[in-house]
Structures are given as structure tokens and as C-alpha cells.
Amino acid sequence: MLFNKRASAIAVAGAFAAAAALGYLGAEHAPIAKSHAAAPATSATQPGRLLPDFSELVESQGPAVVNISTTQRTAAGPRELPFKPGDPMYEYFRRFQIPMPDAQPTPRQGVGSGFIITPDGTILTNAHVVADASEVTVRLTDKRELKAKVIGVDRRTDVAVVKVEATGLPTVKIGDPSKLKVGQWVAAIGSPFGLENTVTAGIVSAKHRALPSENYVPFIQTDVAVNPGNSGGPLFNMAGEVIGINSQIYSRTGGYMGLSFAIPIDTAMKIKDDLVAYGKVNRGRIGVTIQGVTKDLADSFGLAKPQGALVSAVEPGSPAEKAGLKAGDVILSVDGKSVDQSNELPRIVGETKPGTALGMKVWRQGATRDMRVTVGDMPAEKVAAAPAAEVKPGKLGVVVRPLSPEERKSRGIDGGVVVDQVDGPAAKAGIQRGDVILAYGNEKVENAEQLHKLVDKSKGSVAVLVKRDEATIYVPVKIG
């Protein structure tokens, strides 16, 4: 089974699934999405089927959905030999282990979606959209592009918070996933494959879905078409309220195959509060490994029915060991909340403030007993992500060198400089290593020093004349 978080599919190994669900959505509000007859009624007993119209939802909520583009620096690595096996030079380099010079780091571009939750520019998206990005840009529906600061990311739930400097921005309405019902219509707005403001719709397929290796999220499963670039975008109910963040898809190809998964918005908002307040998420832990209770296991432990979380291992020195929990115990409830499925326990404990004493009902050797476990603090996987880095070197983001006489002769040019490294605005605009910059704005470029002076004096969008192979084109670059 594959679950896709980025443009490529990610294989997911089997693991103990967790993260219990709260109940979900409902339609007690007056719906924004209207219904229209799909076909005229053929008889009084066979009325026409009704289909929803999401146009009002898109019109009212669409402006609060944003496109997010990122730039990520990749580490430089050794170049591969430029010779094929069988070539004498290939054997020479291989035999004497002569290292090739390191390749220059190549910036990676990414795209995703997000939505505005406060008028002053707080935005929710997926952690995998902005994690490790050196530059994040938010594009609004009115075509404004704003630099964003990453406030924090939480990889365990795949939730991130970013912030742009603005006022009076449109915001989404936050809904209540506890009212969700399987079979209800929902809609997603996002930027699949970079196609901004794309709307797709479908129904809720299942609630509180536990996925392998996802321990803290009770996913909403839908059949809404979600593709790379939709990540981080909102999932709306019929009332035009956000009830989830689109996060993953089931895929064997990297594209949509009929199943998509969203993070319930109440889970995401709790994560958001911690990230904004502390720059990290404070989670509880008790230090046990658990597994589900099957019918056979229930019979072997003397349980009347399969239920609870079976403790298969207890970490030495952990809160669980200090409280007296042992392998073979079955945790049936926590603070009065029944643990029907093992995947409910990690979310219950994870959402508990460290230092809190939890009362547990435990099944051991054919009888129940009451125990109290003081929750410990789970180390954060990653605290707040670093703010977007300044573009280096220079505002343009390029390191250049002069052309050699041979290069000038072979390329048929008498000026310009060669791009040796590229990052920031230049990389985002599409300038590549090896390009020759011939002119900056209306000024012909003769050398690196002159180019840097031109860049230092410029601001806004500048047309850069670039020669690549046999083509010469102007590339618009936005300078901060």
C-alpha cells in the first residue's frame, strides 16, 4: 500500500496504527452548496436524483485558499564519472579511485496549498509542504505574492503553521468534524500539479481511519480527487466550513486512485495552538508498545470480546513501568474513556499534558484492576522550523564567473557571465547553473562586479537576458 504526501509515492510499511477518532461532521447548518436535479423525474415514484452545487461555497471560501511554493537547498554530492563502462578513462578513474569534484547543490522547487485562518496572515498547511524549505512564498487569489515565515511544523501529524505579513485577509470558517457523517458531500480546493484554485468534490468514505505509521491522526477518508499540490489545502463540508486538511492519498502510481485522507480540523487546530505558543507540540507518553486485540487473543486472555490495547512491551524506566504496567496487560479505558481499538490509546495519551496522572482500567490474569500512570513528556521530533533563510549570495541568488576565451568563441558571444551556483529568486525564476547572463534590465553585463552593482540598485521585477545552449530569452526575476 502506498500513501502519497509529495509528488512521488511513499511506501508505507505495516505498523501499529493508532489515533482514535472523534465522531465527525453533520449538516445542521444551512448548506452553502445547493442541490440541483440531475435529470427530470420520470414518475411520481421516481424523483430526479439531486446533485450538489458548490459554486457559492467556492465564491465565499475560495479567496481564503492559497498556493504555497517552496525552494529547498539540496546538499552537494560527488559527481558521477562522465565516462561509460568500457571506456579506458572510466577504468582509470575507477581503478585509482580518483574522486570527481562535488556537484553544485541544486535547489528543489515544491508546490502545495494552504488556507488563511486569521486576517493578519496565519495559514495552515501540511508539514511536508514547508519542512526544510529555505524560502516559502504564498500566492493569494488576487495574485499577490507574499514571503512567508514558517512558525512551526509537526511531522507526526503533518501539520504546519506559516505566517505572512498582511492585514484584512479573507479567512475560512472552521467547522466541527464531530458532526461528520459517512456519505456526506465534501469539497477540496487547492493547487494540484500547480493548477491554482482547482475545486474537486466527493463524499466522505469513512471516519477515524487509522493509517500505518500514523499514530496521532484519526483521518477522514474521502473519494475527493486529491493530487500532488493539493497537500495542505482545505476540505469543506456543505456549509462551507473547513473540516479537514488534505494530507495523503492511496496510490500505486503517485496520482489519485480514488482514496484520499484529511487531517480533522480540530486535531490540526490543537497542533496549531501549540506551535504558535511554544514552537513545538507538547505530547504525553507512557512508554509502552501496544497491539490490537484479535478474537483469538481475547479468548486466550479470557476477555469477553476483542477490545482494548494489548501491552506487548514496557520501556525500562518509563512512566508505565513505574506505575506497574506489564507486558500482557490489556488497557481497557483511560480516565473513563473506553479504549475499544488499540489505535485510540496513542492519541488519548499524546493529547494529555505531561505530568498529568491518568487513571487506567487494566485487564490482567482474568480480572480488571485500576492503575494510575503519570504521563511523561515525549521528545519533540522537530521544534519550530527555522525562518526562511536570506537569499545568499546576493539578492539575485547567483554566483557567477567570467567566460573563458574558449567559451566565448564556442558560444559566439563577447560578454556576459556564467552562472556557477543558483538559489533564491534566480532559481525560482528558472535560471540554471551553466546559463550565461548577458544583460540585467537594459544594461549589458560585462563582468561579475558590474552585475552585483546592478542587482544591489534594483528592486521588484527585473528582466534578465539569459543564453542557454542555442536559445536566448528574457527571464523575469523578482528581487526583494
Side-chain angles (χ1 to χ4, degrees):
M1 183 179 295
L2 301 181
F3 288 91
N4 187 0
K5 286 189 177 180
R6 294 184 183 271
S8 59
I10 301 174
V12 179
F16 297 107
L22 307 172
Y24 292 99
L25 196 152
E28 289 138 0
H29 308 284
I32 284 185
K34 299 180 292 184
S35 295
H36 293 293
T42 56
S43 70
T45 58
Q46 290 182 316
R49 296 172 60 188
L50 298 181
L51 294 175
D53 178 356
F54 292 96
S55 58
E56 291 185 19
L57 183 156
V58 175
E59 184 177 350
S60 63
Q61 300 300 306
V65 182
V66 301
N67 169 268
I68 297 177
S69 58
T70 62
T71 300
Q72 179 181 345
R73 294 185 179 91
T74 58
R79 293 177 181 168
E80 296 182 359
L81 294 177
F83 315 108
K84 295 182 179 180
D87 188 308
M89 292 303 294
Y90 177 90
E91 293 300 322
Y92 176 79
F93 272 78
R94 184 187 65 80
R95 180 175 301 175
F96 294 100
Q97 298 183 348
I98 299 175
M100 291 291 293
D102 284 351
Q104 294 296 331
T106 304
R108 292 173 55 187
Q109 308 299 317
V111 65
S113 305
F115 51 97
I116 307 169
I117 59 173
T118 65
D120 63 348
T122 303
I123 296 168
L124 283 184
T125 184
N126 283 151
H128 74 259
V129 171
V130 298
D132 304 321
S134 58
E135 185 177 340
V136 179
T137 302
V138 168
R139 184 177 295 108
L140 309 180
T141 54
D142 61 11
K143 305 305 179 184
R144 278 186 291 171
E145 292 188 4
L146 304 173
K147 295 295 181 185
K149 176 183 178 181
V150 179
I151 302 300
V153 300
D154 182 56
R155 296 178 189 270
R156 285 191 173 101
T157 56
D158 197 26
V159 173
V161 180
V162 301
K163 182 76 166 59
V164 296
E165 295 301 323
T167 57
L169 295 178
T171 61
V172 297
K173 294 189 296 182
I174 302 298
D176 183 1
S178 68
K179 299 174 183 177
L180 183 64
K181 294 180 181 179
V182 173
Q184 287 184 323
W185 282 94
V186 285
I189 305 179
S191 305
F193 305 108
L195 303 172
E196 300 173 26
N197 308 117
T198 296
V199 184
T200 54
I203 63 167
V204 176
S205 304
K207 306 181 301 181
H208 50 81
R209 183 68 78 194
L211 300 181
S213 72
E214 300 288 348
N215 295 330
Y216 297 96
V217 179
F219 285 98
I220 302 169
Q221 179 183 322
T222 76
D223 68 353
V224 176
V226 170
N227 281 291
N230 272 116
S231 291
L235 184 71
F236 291 98
N237 63 15
M238 293 281 283
E241 300 167 332
V242 175
I243 44 87
I245 303 177
N246 295 308
S247 174
Q248 302 188 34
I249 62 175
Y250 171 90
S251 180
R252 296 177 184 271
T253 64
Y256 171 72
M257 293 184 67
L259 294 177
S260 53
F261 301 89
I263 304 161
I265 193 62
D266 55 352
T267 298
M269 292 299 282
K270 290 176 182 176
I271 300 300
K272 182 270 297 181
D273 290 343
D274 271 5
L275 290 176
V276 171
Y278 312 113
K280 65 177 183 177
V281 178
N282 295 311
R283 284 193 178 86
R285 65 182 294 272
I286 59 174
V288 294
T289 301
I290 60 171
Q291 66 183 86
V293 179
T294 64
K295 180 65 169 64
D296 290 340
L297 285 172
D299 291 341
S300 67
F301 284 106
L303 284 167
K305 63 178 182 178
Q307 62 176 323
L310 173 59
V311 177
S312 58
V314 178
E315 181 183 322
S318 67
E321 185 188 56
K322 293 175 182 177
L325 279 169
K326 299 179 179 180
D329 288 345
V330 180
I331 300 173
L332 301 176
S333 68
V334 179
D335 268 4
K337 299 176 184 176
S338 177
V339 179
D340 296 320
Q341 303 291 333
S342 62
N343 55 32
E344 298 177 9
L345 182 65
R347 184 182 64 83
I348 294 173
V349 174
E351 291 181 354
T352 302
K353 185 178 179 180
T356 302
L358 291 177
M360 293 186 177
K361 181 177 287 187
V362 176
W363 180 265
R364 178 186 293 176
Q365 297 179 346
T368 59
R369 61 177 65 195
D370 293 326
M371 306 183 72
R372 294 192 72 78
V373 181
T374 300
V375 177
D377 191 1
M378 179 178 290
E381 255 185 3
K382 186 177 181 69
V383 296
E390 294 181 2
V391 177
K392 295 180 179 180
K395 293 197 300 182
L396 183 58
V398 295
V399 172
V400 297
R401 62 171 176 82
L403 282 80
S404 67
E406 292 77 12
E407 287 176 319
R408 293 186 185 279
K409 184 177 180 181
S410 64
R411 301 194 186 200
I413 52 180
D414 59 358
V417 289
V418 179
V419 176
D420 232 12
Q421 295 181 31
V422 61
D423 201 347
K428 187 175 179 181
I431 294 176
Q432 300 177 7
R433 185 170 182 267
D435 287 350
V436 178
I437 297 177
L438 299 176
Y440 188 86
N442 296 322
E443 297 284 339
K444 182 179 178 181
V445 173
E446 300 290 350
N447 53 56
E449 182 179 357
Q450 179 208 11
L451 174 62
H452 289 313
K453 289 180 179 178
L454 292 172
V455 173
D456 288 341
K457 293 188 296 183
S458 64
K459 191 174 183 180
S461 186
V462 179
V464 180
L465 185 61
V466 171
K467 184 175 179 63
R468 180 182 302 162
D469 299 326
E470 301 302 318
T472 302
I473 58 171
Y474 274 101
V475 178
V477 180
K478 289 189 176 180
I479 306 297

